[in-house]
Amino acid sequence: MSKNDIIVKGARENNLKNISVKIPKKKITVFTGVSGSGKTSLVFDTIAAESQRLLNETYDSFIRHRLQQYGKPDVDSLQNLAVAIIVNQKRIEGSARSTVGTITDIYSLLRLLFSRIGKPFIGHSSVFSFNNPQGMCSCCEGLGKTSIVDLNELIDKERSLNEGAIKFPTFEVGGWRWTRYVYSGLFDNNKKVKNYTENEWYNLVYANDLKLANPDPRFPKTGIYEGILPRFERSFFKKESKEITGKSASRYKKVVKQSLCPECNGTRLNPHVLSCKIEGRSIADCCNMQIDDLLEFIKTLKDDSITPLLDSIIKNLENLLSIGLGYLTLGRETSSLSGGESQRIKLVRHLGSSLTDLTYIFDEPSIGLHPNDVQRLNKLLIELKDKGNTVLIIEHDPDVIAIADHIVDMGIGSGKKGGNIVYEGNLDGLKKADTPTGIYLNRNNLLKSNYRKSSDYLFIQNSTLHNLKGISVQIPKEVLTVITGVAGSGKSSIVKSLINQYKDIVVIDQSALRGSKRSNIATYTGILDIIRGLFAKQNGVKQSLFSNNSDGACPECKGLGTISTDLAFLDAVEVRCEHCNGSGFKPEVLKYRLYGKSITDIMTMTISEANTFFNEHEITGPLNRLCEVGLDYLTLGQSLNTFSGGERQRLKLATELSNKGNVYVFDEPTTGLHGSDISKLIKLFNKLVNNKNTVIIIEHNMDVISQADWIIDMGPGAGKDGGNIIFEGIPQKIIADKVSLTGKYLAMYLDRR
């Protein structure tokens, strides 16, 4: 048996059809194929999951209890696995105190640098931490921002407590915090807040540690009354609250207004720490410099006593620069980074590693990158391979596929039509293969021939948002406009300027969809209510029986279909509920039929199957739109929290297809899309424009750029080197522009076959 291959036998995870494959070690292998073809199931859910699971088993129980738990994948055998380093698109987790500097450990090195050669000497490296009481600003406690509660947003004076006067989750009617006020005995709970006396208003909003004279018996006996404002600040300001998620997060942004701390001006540090400087710069000054500028500054420092420290800082900064992140600052909060930026920062951690014979696994690392930045990425991926590592990449970008030593093409379709390996081999062979990927790579690339013209425009005047250099621009209405440029050039800033000026713009991005873990396609589109109504009418029973969140829910699993058992430091075991056989419904509900099918039968249908099954326009209308956006392979009952960013965006797009006269902004809509699906997406954009809508797209993909009516190219570089409009016009003319990198790569795209 060869030790030079990772050998997978009988993989059946998700939609995989009992597949087997040999993956060469110490090579770059790219996994491609249409969305939903099984790439993630094979690479992440099978290979990566098993590698991580086996590694976790080498630790003692104390450590294992604190590690992410992985179940054993559905596969006959996996041989010759190495330790897997997963570099995915998941945004870097962290609190408001997590920055680019802290996550890369460069800030720790800077702290040490300032403690050694900073003047005057103020203490050891820990003093320079904004998480240390000795170093943090006392006003904002090291956050760099102050928060103020807008009482008009938090309290509706036109309502009583019983009517929901406090407009925040857990304070709303029935919430556990709400009970502290209605059971306090201080208020007439049916009295509108606007009619409160001065004393009642004070008690409701500002009182603190108040002893109650006649509380309701239901008020906690050991509880101390405090007003809404101190309670809110204590719960959400003084600590990083895990409650600020979902609908709480959106409400929080309306209620709480944030601004730079007036005392530290956003530096997070106190004046004593800021007084320590190197060559006239404080540690905060260094963190606010672009990484490329900071690198040049550090290189000017000469001190034999700290040469190893300087070398380490320079090396780390150069790694960030090499991966195209030179426009960032070390003070940038990690929560503000895109998925692509997060993935590249994770990659930086491994560039200087001396470890070899590891397996690096990437999930579409080209996302968010301009073709010019993709070339840098490719160099880094090759560098990882040349160190003796195995590199596995899920990718659709032809430029990344081109560097692969081995290619695995999944398909041939999505969902039930996928799960097979339809091609294995090199790039030349793939171009000859009769697969969606092969056909896409072998096509002729053409420019749009007929451009729409506009007589009306959206205007931006002298915008200086973020890195914009006081730009003014007019964006034509009722045409397809693409805003492009290298990462950090100002694309998002120009769109934000537009949104700030025109409040009725519809933004369709890749953000999470609202809903619980029970939410699915059927609930999101509203067709489940119609289906439940049809079941009730057909069988003469109440509609709530066909909801797994109501009367029809299985009592054992509460409608989830599975039962999870926590085994402490061992893997949690999630098993199918035996009572309902995984359906989530009471067994007696499943005897009811609609056109010969049970509610479970219908929820497991793909969108394509359901579209054929139903004749009702209220159902087929939304399903047709989902098919149009290329989501026909998903099932009606698929949970929304399992959707990729691209799938979420297309689901949002499907709800807008019939609208007219709107202005739409799309943020990199090709994310996660196979090349063959992008042509479908372009047809949808054209459909929107033909319906008198204005479509504005932030995009790097040449398939989309080549079919635009109008292009706005930002640059010429990133950060301080960006923020200018370097080209406005039709795609045909950008090719001749000597400054535009987009024009250069568009010309290369047209020459490629």
Side-chain angles (χ1 to χ4, degrees), residues 4-17:
N4 299 322
D5 300 301
I6 298 171
I7 301 173
V8 181
K9 292 183 179 180
R12 294 175 296 275
E13 196 70 23
N14 299 325
N15 68 334
L16 298 180
K17 305 291 197 308

Side-chain angles (χ1 to χ4, degrees), residues 130-204:
F130 45 76
N131 292 319
N132 187 332
Q134 290 180 288
M136 68 175 56
C137 168
S138 58
C139 177
C140 64
E141 296 185 344
L143 292 174
K145 296 176 290 189
T146 55
S147 301
I148 300 174
V149 175
D150 185 343
L151 289 176
N152 292 324
E153 283 288 346
L154 182 60
I155 301 173
D156 185 351
K157 292 184 178 180
E158 297 296 323
R159 299 181 183 182
S160 67
L161 288 174
N162 281 338
E163 292 171 332
I166 312 173
K167 299 185 295 180
F168 198 85
T170 70
F171 285 89
E172 59 194 7
V173 176
W176 64 275
R177 288 193 174 101
W178 169 82
T179 61
R180 299 298 178 97
Y181 301 97
V182 296
Y183 297 156
S184 67
L186 295 173
F187 315 105
D188 178 350
N189 297 327
N190 293 313
K191 182 179 180 181
K192 296 187 185 301
V193 174
K194 67 178 182 180
N195 297 324
Y196 276 22
T197 64
E198 187 175 322
N199 188 55
E200 286 173 329
W201 174 254
Y202 177 83
N203 285 338
L204 178 68

Side-chain angles (χ1 to χ4, degrees), residues 92-109 111 129-131 268 287 329-334 345 349:
I92 296 173
E93 295 182 355
S95 67
R97 300 180 183 275
S98 178
T99 66
V100 172
T102 60
I103 202 71
T104 58
D105 291 330
I106 299 175
Y107 189 63
S108 298
L109 296 174
R111 287 163 42 199
S129 171
F130 45 76
N131 292 319
R268 302 169 178 259
C287 287
T329 65
L330 295 183
R332 175 90 170 260
E333 287 187 20
T334 54
I345 283 179
R349 298 177 184 175

